[in-house]
Amino acid sequence: MFQINDGNAIILASESTRRVDILRTLGIPFSIIPPDIDETRKLEETPREYALRLSYEKAHKVGRHFPDKWVIGADTIVVYKNRILGKPVNENEAFKTLQLLKGKWHKVITGFCVLNVDREITCHDAVETRVFMKDLVDEEIMNYIRTSEPLDKAGSYAVQGKGGYMVKEIKGSYSNVVGLPICEVAEVLLSLGILS
């Protein structure tokens, strides 16, 4: 489908299996190097700014060690009324999050960054998708939590997994909700001449 042009090599700065799977759909070779960064949100930082900054910091942390490579960094957040809903620390928090989201719209924002340190090129953007969750009853929420799936997911659900049955409507990119807006990322890779 796509071909990586000569002289280019791609590193995905993420250990997310979801991002790995999505990037593999392009049919191109890439390496995986997870970065270690401080993900504390800054005061007065909007959710979009936060996702953009983290995606840049992830890419830059890896790019400093591999300056001749193209590095892709990304960060996905779930937002309800400007409140970022991170990964739950326990089942009780997952339950509260899903109770908050049931029967309502929320946003999923993924910031992504493509950079090459040697060439001094940085492209970054954020993609926003609106998601409507069905009106769940408490028993449904508890049954889902017992699968353990929501315990390491932002917003306490995985649209590509068992949690997909709870999502009634999506407006925007589906792959963005999973963790990487592949259409937009591919467009950047093509525009930079990394892929053809």
Side-chain angles (χ1 to χ4, degrees):
M1 188 169 130
F2 290 99
Q3 182 177 326
I4 192 160
N5 291 326
D6 289 344
N8 292 314
I10 296 173
I11 297 173
L12 176 64
S14 177
E15 59 187 348
S16 162
T17 56
R18 296 165 295 283
R19 290 195 186 107
V20 169
D21 290 344
I22 292 170
L23 194 57
R24 279 189 179 138
T25 64
L26 296 181
I28 55 167
F30 62 93
S31 304
I32 301 161
I33 301 176
D36 181 23
I37 64 163
D38 179 6
E39 298 192 16
T40 306
R41 186 179 176 189
K42 293 181 179 177
L43 234 59
E44 304 301 317
E45 197 170 37
T46 67
R48 180 184 171 87
E49 290 166 345
Y50 175 64
L52 279 169
R53 178 176 61 82
L54 290 188
S55 69
Y56 171 77
E57 288 182 2
K58 288 177 180 181
H60 194 259
K61 179 90 180 251
V62 173
R64 283 193 335 241
H65 299 289
F66 302 91
D68 60 327
K69 313 288 190 219
W70 290 99
V71 182
I72 301 170
D75 194 79
T76 302
I77 57 173
V78 175
V79 183
Y80 177 71
K81 292 190 175 178
N82 218 38
R83 176 179 157 198
I84 296 175
L85 305 173
K87 296 175 182 177
V89 295
N90 54 39
E91 291 185 356
N92 187 49
E93 190 174 307
F95 184 81
K96 287 179 179 175
T97 298
L98 293 170
Q99 274 199 320
L100 179 69
L101 294 178
K102 68 178 187 178
K104 301 183 190 86
W105 285 98
H106 63 274
K107 293 186 290 190
V108 178
I109 302 171
T110 300
F112 71 91
C113 178
V114 179
L115 63 75
N116 184 296
V117 172
D118 277 355
R119 300 187 200 190
E120 298 182 347
I121 295 173
T122 302
C123 292
H124 55 105
D125 200 359
V127 176
E128 183 178 303
T129 304
R130 294 182 67 226
V131 180
F132 185 80
M133 192 168 284
K134 71 178 241 170
D135 196 5
L136 301 160
V137 298
D138 288 355
E139 188 179 352
E140 281 180 292
I141 295 173
M142 284 311 302
N143 285 339
Y144 178 54
I145 289 170
R146 286 187 194 104
T147 70
S148 299
E149 184 178 82
L151 298 180
D152 67 338
K153 307 291 188 299
S156 300
Y157 74 96
V159 70
Q160 77 283 2
K162 297 176 182 75
Y165 88 95
M166 302 184 300
V167 175
K168 197 161 190 176
E169 192 173 348
I170 293 177
K171 291 187 177 179
S173 167
Y174 169 80
S175 68
N176 183 55
V177 182
V178 179
L180 191 69
I182 195 62
C183 176
E184 289 79 1
V185 170
E187 285 174 352
V188 169
L189 297 176
L190 288 165
S191 70
L192 291 172
I194 303 165
L195 301 183
S196 59

